[in-house]
Amino acid sequence: MALIKSISGIRGTIGGPAGENLTPVDIVKFTYAYCKCLKARKAPCGERYRIAVGRDARISGEMVEQLVVGTAISCGVDVIRCGLASTPTTELAVTLSGADGGIIITASHNPAQWNALKLLNERGEFLTAEEGGEILACAEEGDFDFSAAEEIGCIEDRDFTDEHIDAVLALDAVDADAVRKAGFRVVLDAVNSVGGIIMPRLLARMGVECITVNGEPTGEFAHNPEPLPEHLVELSERVVAEKADLGISVDPDVDRLAFICEDGKPFVEEYTLVAVADYLLADAVRRGAKDLHTVSNLSSSRALRDVTEGYGGTYHASAVGEVNVTTMIHKTGALIGGEGNGGVIYPACHCGRDAMVGVALFLSQLAKKGTGAAAYRSTLPQYFIAKNRIELSDSSLVGRVLDAVKTRYADEKLNTVDGVKVDFEESRSWVHLRASNTEPIIRIYAEAPDRDAAEARAREVIEIAKSVIGNV
């Protein structure tokens, strides 16, 4: 199985040997290191250090939560226990409560046997690579020194669900009245996690009729929890059967979002961010705003760049990883950013991927346009992304594979900020090869204006990678 320590947190499969999987020993060790480094990094926001802790509904969540909370208070840190809460809800909980940081217990899109600790700073944003590195180093020291009985922290239980919904509906760009008048009927697939708690409540507040499938937060996912078209067959069928206007899919911690059009066909997760950006950019231009910027990572669709430049704005690409995107958003003062995996980051609310924000903005767009999702999708720049992966048995192979790709495409435009991205400007296509932050795999994404061209690009690189791996 696996234990992965990366920019995306501490992630692994539950059970098995300590140090090789995510076990109670590892959970205590990394929580302790987080609390120790938190104290070394900053003064407390109040009289004592406090962190927010929230979790998704996966079956190991309660066990991990008890270990995290117990370790934190044993370090003399107070805990605001958010219970079952989405990742963006827990991020907002940090700032709403004036906490010093937070820990989100979720493995996001990974299957049920996985769990993870996502670590936040006092802004409710993911730690930088440098800060994360300090925690990893501290955890490996094994020098534990816990608080005396009279100094242990306190636990406060608080549900931030309605405060999160209030924050979304308070956004100027969210037009709940227009959505209410449109009388939308949607089908929601909450993949048996916390999306089944918060998303129907948001939709009800916006006057949207919501039919929920896989809504009970049991943690026993009805299908692969990554919101990709091949995993959303049931949702597509229900959208058509219910004559719904839209299908909505979220991952277990509700930071990723994908739509199904009224005809049952995918809107495509890459276009979640593109559509929301189109809406916000158009509104900003109408208001006379200048110097508009957008951000996505190197593995995201070129369509965002096209849309941004169409409104006279500037597009920026970051390395993969939410913290890299948010860092670029802060640096450029971007209006909107995110990732092509269905992650929308709207800094007017907070700087984290948030499916709640994405749904509210997308429905506002549809309501104002007065058109269906399928018709709207056809107005956006048309690209196709082929997403592939290669399993790794030896992480040392990554460098060799990347070197082989750089050699093969030395005459093309190369970007080596994160793996290797090759841009073929004449054909408006690209291919990006990189090691995953969350799984022991190499991801190979290729995009072109049509499916055949994208898949051909991907096959070229896969063959290069296999030749290297096969020769070892």
Side-chain angles (χ1 to χ4, degrees), residues 423-438:
D423 269 306
F424 307 91
E425 285 291 339
E426 288 187 8
S427 60
R428 296 164 62 223
S429 64
W430 55 263
V431 63
H432 188 203
L433 184 86
R434 57 178 292 277
S436 171
N437 291 329
T438 59

Side-chain angles (χ1 to χ4, degrees), residues 377-393:
R377 172 70 172 79
S378 68
T379 68
L380 297 171
Q382 300 300 302
Y383 291 99
F384 178 85
I385 286 189
K387 298 185 177 183
N388 296 273
R389 59 168 65 188
I390 296 177
E391 302 288 337
L392 288 176
S393 58

Side-chain angles (χ1 to χ4, degrees), residues 98-111:
D100 299 284
I103 298 178
I104 309 167
I105 301 165
T106 175
S108 194
H109 64 278
N110 287 104

Side-chain angles (χ1 to χ4, degrees), residues 345-377:
I345 302 174
Y346 186 36
C349 186
H350 68 116
C351 244
R353 295 184 304 187
D354 192 334
M356 303 286 285
V357 170
V359 163
L361 293 172
F362 187 81
L363 289 175
S364 297
Q365 168 79 311
L366 287 188
K368 291 184 174 183
K369 278 190 169 292
T371 187
Y376 173 52
R377 172 70 172 79

